[in-house]
Amino acid sequence: MSTVTIEPLAGHYLQRSPKLYPNPKKTSQFSLNYSRRPLSGTATLRFCDYRRRRTVPIRARSTDAAVIETSEQLDVVFTETFSLKRPERAVGKISIRLDKGKDEENWHLSVGCSLPGKWILHWGVHYTDDTGSEWDQPPPEMRPPGSMAIKDYAIETPLQGEAFQEVKIDISAKWSIGAINFVLKDEETGVWYQHRGRDFKIPLVDCLDDDANIVGVKKESNIWSGSLGKLSNILLNPEASPSKGESSSIDGFGAKNRRLEGFYEEHVIVKETLVDNIVNVSVKQCPETAKNILCIDTDIPGNVILHWGICKGDTKIWELPAMPYPAETVAFKNKALRTLLQRKEGGNGSSGLFTLDGGLSGFVFVVKLDENTWLNCNGDDFYVPLSNGTLHLEERKQNEESNSSQLANRLPEERQEGSVYTDEIIKEIRSLVSDISSEKSRKTKNKVTQETILQEIEKLAAEAYGIFRSSIPTIPEIAVSDSEVIQPDVKVTSGTGTGFEILCQGFNWESHKSGRWYKELQEKAAELSSLGFSVIWLPPPTDSVSPEGYMPRDLYNLNSRYGSFDELKVTVKKFHEVGIKVLGDVVLNHRCASKRNQNGIWNIFGGRLNWDEHAVVADDPHFQGKGNKSSGDNFHAAPNIDHSQEFVRNDIREWLLWLREEIGYDGWRLDFVRGFWGGYVKDYLEATEPYFAVGEFWDSLVYTYGEMDHNQDLHRQRIIDWINATNGTAGAFDVTTKGILHSAIERCEYWRLSDQKGKPPGVVGWWPSRAVTFIENHDTGSTQGHWRFPGGKEMQGYAYILTHPGTPSVFFDHIFSGYQSEIRNLISLRKRNKINCRSMVVITKAERDVYAAVIDDKVAVKIGPGHYEPPSGHQRWKMAAEGNNYKVWELS
């Protein structure tokens, strides 16, 4: 079932893009796939499989006819107009023809499209002597007029014509071309049209294996020897080439005694265009009967079916209302009704009247156009509040005017207090929390709705916090006694600071080797501040079995390979002096023992926290723990700590508070948080109230047969689940985004940077305020290189994370390298345009060779070799940053 979500007319929406997809009724023997460019804005298309359900016809009654007849005189208590985008489909064809020219050595390839649009042929060739690349640029004399080179691997040629657009390419045997590869692109929308999910491929020489994306070959034909797909061994392997003096088995385009044959094929496609329509909803009340008269009016042409029900109480659970029902109504699975709206005179749309009893909380519905197309509201059902949940229009207007006048006439001093306003915000937050609780109680949970509510809560909380912070400087300093100080009721630990943080990882895997790393950082503090960093992440400070610090032993011993206890304190103080917050790298999952037990097992700890085997989880076979089973994944190189033990949690809380007070850390980087439940992290963070906290939840992405899946929802959901377990008190490194950037940039598959809903595909697309984005760290890069970012392309990654929401983290090695000036420029641009962890992203292109997005309507960015320019119009863009395959613009 395809679903189009819509939004209220009062809200803004962006122009949606037409889509291409295969016609399910096409008769061609070739099945076609395509790369769909996600819709921008809040309205999206979703395609689901809805089975036809048995419906029961219900006869309408007219007992409330008098109420309906007099509805014109009733008071309107609710009215709303919704705009929507309705899909309209146009069927066309792509034609492919190969014809012989003047002789067997010359041929003509024609590719055409019958659908309107600005069509571009994106194509390249495969040379017979090239074993490493399927795509290369054709010789200059082969390129039709108007062609444009795309880097060094492809050509783009516009199709010409009016009703039927076409491009013709001349092919000569002297160019030694083994195959022609192409995709068709609608330049107006950025939609790619492929063949079975891959490029079209037209072979001109003998092939080995059957390749599903080949066109123009009859399976039963013996034109070439062997199967089709790859070039033959005689072309691929030099050892198989004919020796000197022997005649070659290849002549022209085909193998010996075989010839190339012409062909003509058509592939049916459907271009989907979104058309503007509206739905008007109004509710009137009859004072005599206390019934609600609901009117729905729409300009959608053709038959329109309303799939509807009612709600009682605070929940939005669908129920059947009491009879009577309108004409043309049938029951659906005893849980909803379907009513065919009545056509208006002249055929311009449909309308319907619904009589509902009083005492109901809401009317819920979706619009059904056919068995495969449904329209809803922002991914959820339409919800119309009835008498219990609405004010009369006049009352609503009076309240709005009253609120407006109060805000407009409020003096600056009164605004700065903001107490009444923040109280109202708190009420809204509580209401939203109730909403999400009721959403969770539904059998069919709607993630989009819950996500929207969470984002709204975050915005309101940030607004209240901003009002609170802005009021502090205006309060005069008055001497008061301790008894007069009012303590706040609620402690807030956001885990995201102000939302404008830019994080620097202040070390690499080799930093411990100098023995004076803290002193080296002190010397760089002013420079890091001038670059624009607001937070620095320092290495693990404790005594450790491993010199890097990640095998901690005595937690209160802060003399490490990076420097002494005193040097650490001076370093933190130095960064505070230049305005940079400091994160301590704390390893809470495991701890190395100081002594063996009576069985010779290392599980007796030393120092101030002299734990024994009762502090070790019971299900780690290496260390004979006597605690409870682990609440996460075991780290087998050291004893895993049992955080379910109260004495362990008390000791860790006390240690973290000591670090905050004694060293001056402002927050934490939490190592290997997969090893224990996020609820324990919540406990530690609520006790220490960090300015900023981020966890390392490292997990493998989703792969199928060695290829990274496009859909990484399962991967980012595991990270989200951990953040959720901390109650949002900590963020997490966005490993999902790093992995997707890897594949997109390394393989030139930039379409990966948009998920199925047109959002960023990592954690930053679901919970941006808790996503710490990065491209490299001490594990993935440096001398370890466990998962190194594609070499020479790091700035594409930084152009992405430094312009997008989330909190970006920049690796030390990249800061003090040839990339420094480019990184400085991007950080300056981010700060200048106030891009923050909650900024809004609209993805405008996500194609094979280019990704582009607009952030907060102020910054536009593109990465990849493909072409992109920000949208023209009343906005004027100027280039702000440019480098190897990336560009960034800002409004002038």
Side-chain angles (χ1 to χ4, degrees), residues 382-447:
F382 287 98
Y383 180 78
V384 179
L386 297 178
S387 57
N388 287 355
T390 60
L391 295 171
H392 284 268
L393 286 182
E394 291 302 319
E395 294 175 8
R396 290 167 66 190
K397 289 178 180 177
Q398 290 173 4
N399 288 347
E400 289 170 1
E401 290 171 0
S402 175
N403 291 337
S404 299
S405 63
Q406 289 175 11
L407 289 174
N409 296 326
R410 185 179 297 170
L411 296 175
E413 293 81 2
E414 292 174 319
R415 286 198 196 101
Q416 288 170 350
E417 288 184 25
S419 59
V420 176
Y421 191 42
T422 51
D423 286 343
E424 291 301 318
I425 291 176
I426 291 170
K427 289 179 182 178
E428 288 190 53
I429 292 175
R430 287 173 177 164
S431 175
L432 288 166
V433 171
S434 299
D435 288 346
I436 198 168
S437 297
S438 63
E439 283 292 325
K440 288 181 178 179
S441 67
R442 295 176 58 176
K443 292 182 180 179
T444 56
K445 298 178 182 178
N446 190 309
K447 287 188 177 181

Side-chain angles (χ1 to χ4, degrees), residues 86-87 277 298-307 328 338-344 347-351 366-375:
R86 175 177 52 84
N277 289 110
T298 179
D299 62 353
I300 299 173
N303 290 333
V304 178
I305 296 174
L306 207 70
H307 183 91
E328 301 291 337
R338 288 181 176 176
T339 300
L340 177 65
L341 299 185
Q342 302 299 308
R343 296 279 191 94
K344 298 179 186 177
N348 296 322
S350 308
S351 64
V366 293
V367 178
K368 178 175 180 278
L369 300 184
D370 55 47
E371 288 301 325
N372 296 310
T373 307
W374 298 66
L375 313 181

Side-chain angles (χ1 to χ4, degrees), residues 522-560:
Q522 293 170 26
E523 297 168 0
K524 297 182 183 297
E527 183 178 3
L528 289 171
S529 177
S530 69
L531 287 170
F533 291 103
S534 56
V535 181
I536 186 169
W537 155 25
L538 297 187
T542 59
D543 163 55
S544 171
V545 171
S546 65
E548 297 83 13
Y550 288 101
M551 299 285 281
R553 185 166 44 196
D554 182 357
L555 299 185
Y556 279 91
N557 181 356
L558 301 189
N559 295 309
S560 70

Side-chain angles (χ1 to χ4, degrees), residues 785-841:
H786 290 323
W787 195 22
R788 200 179 302 279
F789 202 79
K793 301 179 180 180
E794 290 87 354
M795 284 311 303
Q796 287 189 61
Y798 282 122
Y800 182 92
I801 69 171
L802 287 171
T803 58
H804 279 58
T807 300
S809 176
V810 183
F811 186 42
F812 187 87
D813 291 6
H814 295 157
I815 299 169
F816 295 98
S817 71
Y819 295 141
Q820 185 178 113
S821 62
E822 292 180 84
I823 291 173
R824 180 198 295 271
N825 194 14
L826 288 171
I827 291 176
S828 175
L829 180 143
R830 182 181 182 90
K831 300 182 79 169
R832 187 165 63 245
N833 289 280
K834 298 182 179 179
I835 303 299
N836 60 80
C837 70
R838 295 180 179 85
S839 289
M840 301 299 296
V841 176

Side-chain angles (χ1 to χ4, degrees), residues 192-300:
W192 297 82
Y193 188 75
Q194 297 175 297
H195 182 37
R196 295 174 179 168
R198 300 171 61 187
D199 308 328
F200 285 89
K201 181 175 183 179
I202 301 173
L204 303 177
V205 298
D206 190 22
C207 301
L208 279 178
D209 301 324
D210 194 20
D211 202 342
N213 63 326
I214 287 178
V215 296
V217 179
K218 299 177 182 178
K219 300 293 183 182
E220 66 276 11
S221 165
N222 286 323
I223 298 172
W224 298 285
S225 61
S227 303
L228 296 174
K230 300 177 182 177
L231 296 178
S232 62
N233 284 332
I234 202 159
L235 296 174
L236 292 174
N237 302 323
E239 297 85 359
S241 300
S243 59
K244 192 172 182 179
E246 294 179 356
S247 62
S248 173
S249 63
I250 298 297
D251 183 15
F253 288 113
K256 184 178 180 181
N257 299 325
R258 295 171 179 85
R259 59 188 180 83
L260 185 65
E261 287 189 354
F263 68 87
Y264 176 80
E265 282 186 9
E266 290 184 353
H267 298 273
V268 178
I269 59 171
V270 177
K271 181 173 181 176
E272 188 173 86
T273 305
L274 298 178
V275 179
D276 292 308
N277 289 110
I278 60 170
V279 173
N280 293 310
V281 181
S282 62
V283 179
K284 301 178 181 181
Q285 281 188 343
C286 178
E288 298 178 358
T289 64
K291 290 185 179 293
N292 295 295
I293 310 300
L294 185 142
C295 176
I296 291 184
D297 182 279
T298 179
D299 62 353
I300 299 173

